[in-house]
Amino acid sequence: MARGSALLYRSGSQNWTALPKVSEGTILTFTTHPERPGRIVGGLDTGGVVLSVDGGKSWDVRGQGLPKAAVTAITTAATNPDTIYAAIRGDGLWQSDDAGQSWVFVMDRPWLANAERDLTALSSVDLATGMGGIWLYAGTDTGVTRVPDCFCRWQDVQPGDAMDALASGKQATPKVPLPEGEPVSALVSAVSRPATLYAGLPSGIWQSQDAGVTWLKRSEVIATALAVHPLRADDLVIVNDDGVLQSPDGGRTWTAIANI
């Protein structure tokens, strides 16, 4: 699956087929889960979400209780495929525990560089927080931040867990952070190796192998969307203006697999 030209496409073997448009709006962002084959949850530019259980052939409207504002980022909880998180433009972070049917507000937007920031990407990362849960990592127009799924507070990515951050009272400076001030257009954790993260920035594709503490630039290629194979953490697929590209080696080399 990929996103491009305001349409969703599905791959079957070597062929790519445009999926039916959603009458309620344009899907800006979508999420899947390996334990729910065929299920796609999409966030709309007009507000609310839609759900498909047949790989995008048909859609049901969900999102009762969500504000009528664009869903800028969405992700499924790594450890629970029926828990979904959605970021709402100008509002904050919302959670659903019934696959998008109903929603509750859980967190304000992060305060970064003297302003509240909308989320541009979301990823549930299956790593212990030290507070009885796992992490939600978020991309913004100024970089990456994260919050435990108990939603105590947003924090900079740093070594250790959330309890370390609370005890210290200040954030440790990451050894090799992402470039300062660059917007994050895509962010994903590898299911088979959760500490491996990929981020799409204007400067290219970056990889972290320690849950975002240190980053290494892997490619100059620009990505508007990213996906990682659920069993192979180095098997990466991206979408950009040139179509769909695949890398078998974590972004070192690329092959075009579709022009959509």
Side-chain angles (χ1 to χ4, degrees):
M1 292 171 292
R3 179 177 66 178
S5 303
L7 290 174
L8 285 176
Y9 293 80
R10 177 173 178 149
S11 172
S13 184
Q14 299 299 314
N15 300 316
W16 288 79
T17 303
L19 298 176
K21 289 185 177 181
V22 178
S23 59
E24 290 77 15
T26 298
I27 295 177
L28 296 179
T29 178
F30 67 92
T31 183
T32 62
H33 196 282
E35 293 181 18
R36 295 291 186 270
R39 191 173 78 180
I40 307 169
V41 183
L44 300 177
D45 64 339
T46 53
V49 301
V50 288
L51 179 143
S52 173
V53 295
D54 55 13
K57 296 177 183 177
S58 62
W59 299 91
D60 292 327
V61 178
R62 300 286 177 104
Q64 181 177 354
L66 283 177
K68 294 297 182 182
V71 178
T72 59
I74 195 167
T75 192
T76 305
T79 56
N80 185 348
D82 290 326
T83 295
I84 300 166
Y85 303 99
I88 308 301
R89 180 174 295 157
D91 184 83
L93 189 62
W94 290 68
Q95 177 179 328
S96 171
D97 290 323
D98 53 12
Q101 191 67 49
S102 60
W103 295 81
V104 294
F105 180 83
V106 292
M107 195 72 182
D108 289 322
R109 295 176 296 166
W111 182 270
L112 301 168
N114 299 315
E116 273 195 303
R117 303 290 174 174
D118 282 323
L119 305 186
T120 55
L122 269 174
S123 182
S124 177
V125 181
D126 188 9
L127 295 171
T129 64
M131 301 182 72
I134 64 174
W135 293 102
L136 278 176
Y137 279 62
T140 72
D141 61 357
T142 62
V144 171
T145 185
R146 68 180 183 178
V147 65
D149 63 5
C150 61
F151 303 107
C152 57
R153 68 181 179 95
W154 294 100
Q155 66 168 241
D156 293 337
V157 180
Q158 63 177 36
D161 60 26
M163 292 302 294
D164 292 333
L166 291 173
S168 68
K170 62 180 181 180
Q171 307 297 333
T173 302
K175 184 178 180 182
V176 185
L178 287 170
E180 186 176 355
E182 282 200 51
V184 178
S185 59
L187 181 67
V188 66
S189 166
V191 174
S192 61
R193 201 167 67 212
T196 297
L197 306 179
Y198 294 94
L201 279 69
S203 57
I205 296 171
W206 294 72
Q207 183 196 60
S208 172
Q209 297 189 33
D210 57 6
V213 176
T214 62
W215 292 86
L216 175 67
K217 186 175 180 180
R218 302 306 298 267
S219 176
E220 299 282 343
V221 174
I222 305 301
T224 56
L226 286 166
V228 181
H229 194 282
L231 301 178
R232 301 189 296 272
D234 294 323
D235 192 345
L236 182 66
V237 174
I238 67 166
V239 179
N240 61 22
D241 291 342
D242 295 324
V244 183
L245 291 79
Q246 183 174 17
S247 172
D249 51 17
R252 294 184 182 90
T253 60
W254 296 91
T255 301
I257 58 175
N259 184 10
I260 56 177

